[in-house]
Amino acid sequence: MTTFFTSRLFFVSLALVVIAATLPLYVSGYVLGLLTVAFYFGVFAMAWDLLFGFAGEVNFGPTFLIGVGAYTAGILNNQFGWSVYLCIVLGALASVVAGLVLALPALRVRGPYFGLTTLVAVLMLQNFIVVFADLTGGEIGLTIPDVISINAGANYWIALGFMTISAAILYGLSQSPVGLVLQASGQDPVQAGALGFNIVKHKLAAFIVSAFFSGLSGALLVFYFGTASVGTVVDVAVGVNVIVSAVLGGRRTVLGAALGAIFLIVAGEFLRPTGELATFIVSAVALLVVLFFPGGFLGAALSREARS
Amino acid sequence: MRAFQILIDGFAISALYALGATGFTLIFGVSGVLNLSHGAIMVAAAVAAWAAASILGVGTYAGALIGVAVALVTAFATYFAVVKPIQDSRRIPNEEKEIFVLTGTLLWGIMIQELIAYFFTNNAKTVLPIVEGVVDILGVRTPRNEIFTAIVCCLVIALLWLLVNRTRTGKAVLAASMNPRGVTLLGLELTNIYIVVWAIYGILAGIAGVLLGMFLGVSSYSVGPLTASAFSIVVLGGLGSVSGSLIAAFVVGYLETLTAYLVSPAYRTIPALLLLVFVMYIRPQGLLGRR
């Protein structure tokens, strides 16, 4: 851990955050809005990487955790008018509870079966949102009366601060003894278990941490958008973006996942002039990275540093 | 009367699900690949059949053939451009190849979906049916197309069964699914077997896609749900077990039809999903899966 504070990665990250923090002084509100969303997505991707990259479990349902957090916060605000911050905290807690409910059966199975169980959770949540349209706004989406702030700069700083703190905690956790046990259990569960570590307990903890950050980020995103809809927080396509971000940025790096998410969202925006082909190009680039740089952006950069 | 209608409709949809899932489970059984571009390949076949028949005007039969051919080509492209490079890659550790294949085929599927949306818009397309009209079976008015779909599905599955169990190639495929290393020791090239399996898969997915396009219609939005439904059926039946996925297809097909008729079409998919979670909980390896 102490070596991290003297490493190049730490100084690069610090410099990036400082530069990012000055952006509202000279860029347009449009760019800030784009980056705000990208930062919340960065947290989704980092939380996902903690579970996949380290515990080796392919969670196809990041949007289940995100969606539960987002919709709980949104519905509480919409129905009872509770304060934004209370709703955000309760949203994150709901996501932790939902994560527990999902993890208990899901962690009994591995590999594709785990993937499917988490995918089914997303499909169920979608169905419930449509069926209980009175409460959730159904396919049209849920309108949120309150927002955190209407100032683009303030929103941007909140998102940046949130992402930085989340990154510090998640990265710290990944480098801690707990993270190492997770990594070992991802690579060889039998041997890790034979060494006396309770793998299930560690994975459950990873799932809960992942759920907490996903839910918190989802709730914050809802109060930024002022609306919650299946398409923005629950859809399988959103989950695909989260997974692609983490793989693009470099799995098992946590910080890379955030880079991947920012890249994905900014690239999508740059490609907007290409119209409907934007998603095609982003997917093609992602596929090329998967095929030729399987370590992702940060993975490739780190291995080059290690070599030199 | 209604019971009979549920019986007929449920059979047709189940047979279609079974055909769609069979190829998917075959590839997994033989090479351990979960192909998440499955839905995209089915939709590509249906859209090609639709475009050939409706835009080029080649007729329904030629259109259907073109649809299947497009699926075959796309399946080969999936194998050679995405799956094989990942399997052969030295930079990806072996234990992570599965997740890379999942991510790679997922991205590939999205690329196909976006191309379809770009060239043919997101609108739903219904392939011109090969047989038209309606027949009366014991008082239930049934489209001939629905009966045709069910018959073709059953025939193709029966043919596949014969191919796998009664031919030399089929036996090699079967052997590869049980012990890939043993097959190479017998002097058979594993890659050749995989190519045969992907060819069979492409044809199965193509037929299923074209039939689906005639029966219910497809759009580029169908890609995700089609992949998800094949994935759930295959896991419910037990990954790699062809007979398991046949049973699972009929369970899911009838459960959905029953729900749609007796409760409400809005709840159509929910009971099947609940059943899936329940089975995962008590029998994680699926109905006929081996661990």
Side-chain angles (χ1 to χ4, degrees):
Chain A
M1 201 63 229
T2 45
T3 53
F4 173 68
F5 289 106
T6 54
S7 75
R8 203 143 104 196
L9 186 64
F10 172 71
F11 289 111
V12 173
S13 316
L14 194 68
L16 282 178
V17 170
V18 170
I19 295 168
T22 62
L23 281 185
L25 303 176
Y26 44 81
V27 302
S28 70
Y30 164 76
V31 177
L32 292 182
L34 187 66
L35 286 172
T36 306
V37 177
F39 292 163
Y40 288 125
F41 257 85
V43 179
F44 294 159
M46 287 190 292
W48 187 83
D49 192 37
L50 185 74
L51 199 62
F52 160 65
F54 288 90
E57 295 288 7
V58 200
N59 174 12
F60 278 134
T63 51
F64 173 72
L65 303 171
I66 298 166
V68 168
Y71 266 91
T72 307
I75 290 170
L76 290 177
N77 187 255
N78 176 297
Q79 294 284 316
F80 307 111
W82 289 352
S83 89
V84 171
Y85 299 99
L86 183 64
C87 291
I88 290 173
V89 171
L90 290 175
L93 289 181
S95 185
V96 168
V97 173
L100 260 175
V101 172
L102 175 65
L104 288 175
L107 283 178
R108 295 178 64 228
V109 295
R110 274 195 62 82
Y113 294 99
F114 176 86
L116 182 81
T117 315
T118 50
L119 181 66
V120 166
V122 179
L123 299 176
M124 298 255 269
L125 184 64
Q126 273 180 5
N127 273 308
F128 281 122
I129 288 170
V130 175
V131 168
F132 296 105
D134 295 343
L135 199 61
T136 61
E139 279 158 345
I140 301 161
L142 180 70
T143 320
I144 318 282
D146 295 331
V147 289
I148 305 174
S149 165
I150 49 163
N151 181 318
N155 272 321
Y156 173 85
W157 274 317
I158 291 170
L160 179 67
F162 172 62
M163 186 186 69
T164 312
I165 295 169
S166 308
I169 296 173
L170 289 169
Y171 184 79
L173 204 63
S174 76
Q175 301 297 312
S176 72
V178 179
L180 294 179
V181 173
L182 279 177
Q183 202 166 344
S185 65
Q187 284 174 355
D188 192 337
V190 179
Q191 223 168 55
L195 289 171
F197 295 115
N198 188 337
I199 294 172
V200 174
K201 212 173 75 186
H202 276 89
K203 280 189 183 170
L204 200 61
F207 213 114
I208 289 167
V209 173
S210 186
F212 176 77
F213 280 100
S214 306
L216 195 60
S217 192
L220 283 164
L221 189 61
V222 157
F223 285 108
Y224 170 67
F225 278 147
T227 168
S229 65
V230 171
T232 50
V233 286
V234 186
D235 203 55
V236 175
V238 178
V240 169
N241 272 341
V242 171
I243 296 169
V244 170
S245 302
V247 173
L248 262 186
R251 70 218 183 285
R252 272 192 209 149
T253 56
V254 179
L255 302 179
L259 286 183
I262 296 169
F263 169 81
L264 208 60
I265 293 204
V266 173
E269 197 61 26
F270 266 107
L271 291 167
R272 191 161 283 219
T274 59
E276 286 161 14
L277 278 180
T279 314
F280 173 81
I281 298 172
V282 170
S283 313
V285 170
L287 181 62
L288 291 177
V289 171
V290 165
L291 291 177
F292 298 107
F293 306 99
F297 301 148
L298 202 60
L302 287 178
S303 69
R304 193 163 302 137
E305 191 180 347
R307 239 180 283 137
S308 61
Chain B
M1 208 45 53
R2 197 180 211 188
F4 201 60
Q5 188 166 18
I6 293 173
L7 213 60
I8 297 176
D9 282 353
F11 188 85
I13 197 83
S14 302
L16 201 52
Y17 280 174
L19 187 63
T22 306
F24 187 85
T25 201
L26 193 70
I27 295 191
F28 181 82
V30 174
S31 58
V33 168
L34 277 174
N35 170 26
L36 292 189
S37 58
H38 178 69
I41 295 176
M42 280 176 72
V43 172
V47 170
W50 168 82
S54 303
I55 300 178
L56 302 177
V58 296
T60 46
Y61 288 97
L65 278 180
I66 289 173
V68 177
V70 165
L72 185 64
V73 172
T74 318
F76 275 139
T78 310
Y79 178 62
F80 285 109
V82 183
V83 176
K84 200 170 186 304
I86 292 176
Q87 284 176 338
D88 293 346
S89 169
R90 286 195 195 152
R91 277 179 288 190
I92 305 171
N94 273 328
E95 72 270 11
E96 285 182 2
K97 284 196 170 145
E98 198 174 6
I99 171 71
F100 271 90
V101 169
L102 286 179
T103 320
T105 52
L106 190 66
L107 289 167
W108 176 247
I110 296 172
M111 286 164 65
I112 299 173
Q113 177 182 359
E114 292 297 323
L115 279 186
I116 292 171
Y118 183 75
F119 288 110
F120 300 101
T121 76
N122 284 322
N123 301 334
K125 286 140 197 97
T126 308
V127 182
L128 289 173
I130 289 178
V131 287
E132 284 181 85
V134 179
V135 283
D136 197 298
I137 311 176
L138 298 175
V140 178
R141 282 170 58 82
T142 313
R144 282 175 202 269
N145 178 37
E146 191 174 325
I147 301 166
F148 175 77
T149 302
I151 292 174
V152 173
C153 289
C154 294
L155 272 180
V156 173
I157 292 170
L159 270 177
L160 177 73
W161 188 88
L162 283 177
L163 179 79
V164 170
N165 288 293
R166 293 279 183 274
T167 65
R168 222 184 125 74
T169 319
K171 283 177 182 163
V173 168
L174 209 56
S177 78
M178 291 170 187
N179 188 344
R181 189 170 287 193
V183 168
T184 52
L185 288 177
L186 290 173
L188 289 167
E189 190 64 59
L190 215 46
T191 305
N192 289 341
I193 294 179
Y194 291 163
I195 291 173
V196 169
V197 173
W198 278 89
I200 297 174
Y201 164 74
I203 293 169
L204 290 177
I207 297 174
V210 173
L211 287 175
L212 186 78
M214 290 176 184
F215 187 27
L216 299 171
V218 294
S219 77
S220 60
Y221 292 129
S222 324
V223 167
L226 280 175
T227 307
S229 109
F231 193 23
S232 7
I233 286 169
V234 159
V235 172
L236 181 63
L239 268 175
S241 160
V242 174
S243 36
S245 54
L246 292 185
I247 296 172
F250 277 85
V251 170
V252 170
Y254 271 110
L255 207 53
E256 285 193 7
T257 315
L258 276 171
T259 316
Y261 274 106
L262 300 182
V263 190
S264 151
Y267 297 93
R268 189 181 176 103
T269 54
I270 294 178
L273 291 175
L274 284 172
L275 173 79
L276 193 60
V277 173
F278 180 69
V279 171
M280 288 283 92
Y281 200 76
I282 54 166
R283 210 180 142 72
Q285 70 272 41
L287 296 174
L288 296 186
R290 42 181 189 198
R291 299 198 93 180

